[in-house]
Amino acid sequence: ETGVTQTPRHLVMGMTNKKSLKCEQHLGHNAMYWYKQSAKKPLELMFVYSLEERVENNSVPSRFSPECPNSSHLFLHLHTLQPEDSALYLCASSQDWLADYNEQFFGPGTRLTVL
Amino acid sequence: AQSVTQLDSQVPVFEEAPVELRCNYSSSVSVYLFWYVQYPNQGLQLLLKYLSGSTLVKGINGFEAEFNKSQTSFHLRKPSVHISDTAEYFCAVRGPSSASKIIFGSGTRLSIRP
C-alpha cells in the first residue's frame, strides 16, 4: 500500500449504531487530519493530530471521537449520528503540521450515509 | 483570517478548448495558495502551489495558475482540456503563520464535453 488509505470506502449506519473509520498513511508523515466534505460546501477541517497529539478540534460534536494511536494510524469513532452527518469523510497527512509548505496528501475518503 | 471564493460552481467546456477556473482570496497578510483536484471517487491531489517568487506557477497535467496580488486572485488555467480533466477543483489558501490552517473553497466542477 502506498499513500493514504481509508477503510471502509462506503458505510451505511443507523442513528443508534457505533462504527469507526480507519485511516493509514504510508508516507512517514507526522501530522494527520480528518475533513468532512458535504455536497455544495467547502471542506470542513474536523481534527488535526501532530505526533499523535490532537492540536486542532474545530468545534466538532462529541458524537465524533478521533483516536491517533501512532503517527501512521488515525481513527474516527462514530456514535449516535444524525442524518445531516452523511458526507464524505476524508483523511489527509502531511510531513509537518507547522511547516510553511505543508502539502497535504489525501485518502480516497469514506462515503458515510446515516439513516 | 483568510477566506477563499470560487465563483463558479460548475464550468462546462468542450474538449481541446481552453479553460479558466476562478479563485479569489481575502487576507490582510501574505498567503500561500494551492489548487487541488478531486477525480471521481478519489481524494484530493495537489495540482500546484504558490509560496513565493514567480507569480506564474506551473503544475501537473498541463495546468498553470497566476498569482495576482492586486486583484487577490489565483485563477487556474489550461490551454487545451481533455476528457480526463473532468473533476472537481478546489482552491485553498493558508496564512503565513506556522499555526495557520488551510482554508478550502467550495469547489468548481469541470465537465468536459466531447
Side-chain angles (χ1 to χ4, degrees), chain B residues 16-59:
Chain B
E16 298 184 7
V19 70
E20 179 180 83
L21 306 183
R22 296 181 294 169
C23 173
N24 288 89
Y25 68 92
S26 173
S27 178
S28 58
V29 297
S30 60
V31 294
Y32 303 116
L33 294 157
F34 308 82
W35 274 100
Y36 281 83
V37 60
Q38 186 178 30
Y39 297 106
N41 300 314
Q42 294 187 31
L44 277 68
Q45 178 184 357
L46 184 68
L47 265 182
L48 49 79
K49 60 188 181 292
Y50 172 78
L51 304 182
S52 64
S54 172
T55 57
L56 184 62
V57 180
K58 294 190 182 298

Side-chain angles (χ1 to χ4, degrees), chain A residues 9-10 35 37 40-43 45 56 58 88 90 97-109, chain B residues 10 32 34 36 38 41-46 49 51 88 90 94 96-102 104-106:
Chain A
R9 295 293 308 275
H10 300 272
Y35 286 90
Q37 186 179 26
K40 309 296 183 187
K41 292 176 67 175
L43 264 71
L45 179 64
E56 188 80 31
N58 259 8
L88 182 69
L90 291 166
W97 175 58
L98 294 179
D100 287 348
Y101 173 45
N102 201 28
E103 176 183 355
Q104 295 184 18
F105 293 79
F106 285 81
Chain B
Q10 294 189 58
Y32 303 116
F34 308 82
Y36 281 83
Q38 186 178 30
N41 300 314
Q42 294 187 31
L44 277 68
Q45 178 184 357
L46 184 68
K49 60 188 181 292
L51 304 182
E88 187 135 20
F90 294 90
R94 182 174 185 264
S97 162
S98 58
S100 295
K101 297 177 292 189
I102 291 181
F104 288 87
S106 53

